[in-house]
Amino acid sequence: MTVSNPSNTRVKPKRVPLPVYSAELRRLQTELVAMQEWVKESGARIVVIFEGRDAAGKGSAIKRVTEFLNPRVARIVALPVPTERERGQWYFQRYIEHLPSTGEIVLMDRSWYNRAGVEHVMGYCTPDEYRRFLHQAPLFERMLVEDGILLVKYWFSVSDTEQERRFRSRLNDPMRRWKLSGTDLFSITKWVDYSRAKDEMFVHTDLPEAPWWVVESEDKRAARLNVISHLLSIVPYTRREPPLVTIPARPAGVEYERPPRELNRPVPDITATLGEPTAKPTGKAKIKKKAKKKVQKAAKLAKPKKQAASASSAELTV
C-alpha cells in the first residue's frame, strides 16, 4: 500500500512482556473496581465508545475493562443489524434506550458511528442520511454531555499489515473464526475508503466536550493497558473501597435432612474419563506418532553425553 505521507508510517512497537503486562493489568483492574464503587455511590453516568478498524482489538479491550466489574453496573452494548422497524426510526433512537441510568457504565462495542464508517463506505445508507448524521451527531452528543453523561470516545488504530495478520489468525482458529464476516474481509479492499471516512468523521465529531482519543493498537497488550489507564485518568472518581463484611457463624443443630441424591438428575461427570488412553492412531497420525517417539528416544540417548560433556567442561573451568 502506498503511503502518501512518510511521517505517518507506523513503526511496529516492541510487545509488552507478559509478566509486566499481567502485573499492570491486575493493578489497573483493581482501580476499575474502585472506580465502579464511586460510580455506584455518586450516581454517575458514563458512556465509553469503542470504535476502530475490524480486528483492531476493541472487543478484547472491553473484555479486560469489564472482567471484574459488576455486570449490573457495567454493561456491554453491541447491537446487531437494525431491524426493519428500527430502519424506519430516527437513526439515534435505538441507541437511546441503551444509555446509562444513574450509577451505570455502558461500554459500546461499536455505536452510532456505524453510519459514518461501514454504512457510508459499503453503501448501506444514502448520501443524505450520511450528511444528516454528520450534522446531527455533534448535537446529539452535546445533549448527552449537557445532561450530565460523561461521554468517552476511543478509536483503535491498527495498520493494514497487522489487520491482515489478525484476519488470517482468526481464519485458522475454530474458536475465533466466527468473528470473520464477509464485510470484514471486504474491508481489506476498502482500506483507503475507510481511512477517508474516519478522517471526515473526526473533522465533524471531534468535539471539545467529547473528543476522540486514538489508541495505537499494533500491540494489543499495550493498547489494553493504555486505554484502561486513560479511562481511569479522565473519570473524576475518588477511590472507594467496597464495604467490609463479616461472614456469620453457621448455626448448629438445624433439623434438616437432604432428600436422597438418587432423586436428582446429575450432570454427567466427564472429568472422570479425562486422561484415559484414546483409540490407537491410524494412517498419518500413526506415522507422526512413531516419528515423535523416535525423536524423543534419540534425545534421551543423547542426554547422558551432554551431561558428561558439561561435567568435563566444568572440571576445566574449576
Side-chain angles (χ1 to χ4, degrees):
M1 179 172 293
T2 303
V3 180
S4 57
N5 185 353
S7 66
N8 286 338
T9 54
R10 190 190 305 260
V11 178
K12 188 171 180 64
K14 187 177 179 182
R15 197 175 193 197
V16 178
L18 184 58
V20 175
Y21 165 75
S22 300
E24 182 62 7
L25 180 63
R26 184 170 182 82
R27 185 188 72 80
L28 292 172
Q29 289 177 325
T30 302
E31 280 300 312
L32 283 171
V33 173
M35 184 194 78
Q36 173 188 252
E37 292 302 312
W38 173 81
V39 170
K40 285 166 57 180
E41 289 185 24
S42 67
R45 293 174 293 162
I46 301 176
V47 174
V48 188
I49 289 176
F50 291 77
E51 289 286 349
R53 304 270 189 179
D54 296 316
K58 302 178 295 296
S60 64
I62 292 172
K63 182 179 178 180
R64 270 61 178 195
V65 171
T66 59
E67 191 170 4
F68 296 104
L69 300 184
N70 185 340
R72 294 183 180 86
V73 176
R75 54 189 168 88
I76 301 170
V77 173
L79 299 186
V81 175
T83 63
E84 195 61 38
R85 185 175 184 279
E86 287 172 334
R87 289 191 186 98
Q89 297 173 346
W90 177 45
Y91 179 72
F92 295 93
Q93 188 170 333
R94 76 178 187 136
Y95 294 98
I96 291 174
E97 63 181 291
H98 297 283
L99 293 175
S101 184
T102 54
E104 290 183 350
I105 306 168
V106 169
L107 299 102
M108 289 192 164
D109 188 352
R110 296 203 180 278
S111 63
W112 45 84
Y113 282 102
N114 276 343
R115 175 137 295 178
V118 63
E119 290 189 21
H120 171 58
V121 172
M122 301 298 291
Y124 298 153
C125 68
T126 66
D128 284 344
E129 288 172 332
Y130 169 68
R131 285 191 291 268
R132 190 180 307 125
F133 171 83
L134 293 180
H135 171 70
Q136 291 184 350
L139 303 175
F140 175 65
E141 292 181 1
R142 286 190 175 104
M143 290 174 66
L144 299 182
V145 174
E146 287 173 5
D147 200 60
I149 291 177
L150 175 60
L151 178 60
V152 187
K153 301 186 298 193
Y154 289 116
W155 175 269
F156 282 67
S157 179
V158 68
S159 68
D160 53 347
T161 306
E162 180 62 16
Q163 183 195 51
E164 185 174 343
R165 188 195 69 78
R166 292 176 187 177
F167 279 166
R168 294 188 183 283
S169 174
R170 290 178 178 181
L171 191 63
N172 298 322
D173 187 346
M175 290 185 291
R176 296 188 300 147
R177 198 175 296 152
W178 63 268
K179 290 186 173 185
L180 282 177
S181 67
T183 302
D184 293 338
L185 299 177
F186 197 57
S187 67
I188 294 176
T189 64
K190 294 279 188 178
W191 181 269
V192 174
D193 294 326
Y194 274 103
S195 296
R196 289 173 177 152
K198 184 265 292 183
D199 295 341
E200 188 71 13
M201 179 183 79
F202 272 32
V203 168
H204 290 270
T205 62
D206 188 23
L207 311 174
E209 306 93 327
W212 279 105
W213 299 97
V214 178
V215 182
E216 294 294 339
S217 60
E218 206 75 354
D219 174 9
K220 283 188 176 185
R221 291 176 186 170
R224 294 164 193 161
L225 298 180
N226 290 336
V227 77
I228 297 175
S229 176
H230 183 266
L231 179 61
L232 289 167
S233 73
I234 61 175
V235 175
Y237 75 101
T238 52
R239 210 173 196 287
R240 311 284 175 88
E241 296 291 345
L244 294 174
V245 296
T246 303
I247 299 177
R250 193 180 302 278
V254 177
E255 293 183 2
Y256 169 75
E257 183 178 348
R258 176 175 176 155
R261 288 180 178 272
E262 293 74 18
L263 298 178
N264 300 328
R265 293 184 180 84
V267 173
D269 182 12
I270 65 156
T271 61
T273 63
L274 295 179
E276 290 184 357
T278 54
K280 290 184 178 180
T282 56
K284 289 183 179 179
K286 189 174 182 179
I287 295 170
K288 284 183 179 180
K289 190 171 182 181
K290 282 186 176 180
K292 189 176 180 182
K293 279 186 176 180
K294 285 183 180 179
V295 172
Q296 289 173 343
K297 189 176 180 181
K300 196 173 182 181
L301 292 171
K303 198 171 183 182
K305 294 179 182 179
K306 285 185 178 179
Q307 288 174 346
S310 62
S312 61
S313 175
E315 288 171 6
L316 289 171
T317 58
V318 169

